[in-house]
Amino acid sequence: MQPISVEQLKARLDAGETIHLLDVREPGEHADFNIGGVLLPLGKVQSMQTEEIDNWKDQEVICYCRSGNRSGQACQILEMTGFSNVKNLSGGMMAWQDRIVK
């Protein structure tokens, strides 16, 4: 698992890159604010209910949550289940809202 900063991710999104974003927060958090990621709460990742994203195994996946803790856990689990290129958004949505959303 590698970290990626909110600034790096924003630049890549602005450049039009196709990026697989995975939001591991809860549905209410996702509804309040999100950056377009597929919602798959950490509990589902922990119980290996990842069928929805299994086709991403050989592609870059950027996980995010509120602060970076849950997404870090999700990254570790995904790596153990065969995902080969997983990144954790440093600081999560708190950093995004603080540094990107003005």
Side-chain angles (χ1 to χ4, degrees), residues 26-47:
E26 294 301 313
E29 294 173 288
H30 180 81
D32 287 343
F33 178 80
N34 74 78
I35 57 172
V38 169
L39 177 63
L40 189 66
L42 179 60
K44 286 192 173 189
V45 176
Q46 290 171 326
S47 61

Side-chain angles (χ1 to χ4, degrees), residues 32-76:
D32 287 343
F33 178 80
N34 74 78
I35 57 172
V38 169
L39 177 63
L40 189 66
L42 179 60
K44 286 192 173 189
V45 176
Q46 290 171 326
S47 61
M48 307 300 180
Q49 297 176 38
T50 60
E51 301 82 18
E52 190 176 344
I53 61 163
D54 280 347
N55 60 327
W56 295 358
K57 281 192 174 185
D58 296 322
Q59 301 170 43
E60 178 186 47
V61 178
I62 298 174
C63 298
Y64 67 90
C65 65
R66 186 180 75 88
S67 66
N69 291 328
R70 284 177 283 177
S71 54
Q73 292 176 47
C75 286
Q76 291 177 334

Side-chain angles (χ1 to χ4, degrees), residues 1-101:
M1 164 185 55
Q2 297 178 335
I4 184 170
S5 73
V6 293
E7 292 85 1
Q8 289 170 313
L9 177 56
K10 177 77 165 97
R12 291 180 59 190
L13 289 170
D14 288 348
E17 284 189 47
T18 299
I19 299 174
H20 298 296
L21 295 171
L22 184 64
D23 185 346
V24 299
R25 300 174 300 161
E26 294 301 313
E29 294 173 288
H30 180 81
D32 287 343
F33 178 80
N34 74 78
I35 57 172
V38 169
L39 177 63
L40 189 66
L42 179 60
K44 286 192 173 189
V45 176
Q46 290 171 326
S47 61
M48 307 300 180
Q49 297 176 38
T50 60
E51 301 82 18
E52 190 176 344
I53 61 163
D54 280 347
N55 60 327
W56 295 358
K57 281 192 174 185
D58 296 322
Q59 301 170 43
E60 178 186 47
V61 178
I62 298 174
C63 298
Y64 67 90
C65 65
R66 186 180 75 88
S67 66
N69 291 328
R70 284 177 283 177
S71 54
Q73 292 176 47
C75 286
Q76 291 177 334
I77 294 166
L78 291 173
E79 285 179 335
M80 289 188 309
T81 61
F83 284 77
S84 61
N85 186 5
V86 182
K87 293 185 178 159
N88 185 23
L89 185 63
S90 299
M93 291 297 90
M94 289 173 50
W96 187 279
Q97 289 182 301
D98 184 47
R99 301 201 306 252
I100 303 298
V101 178

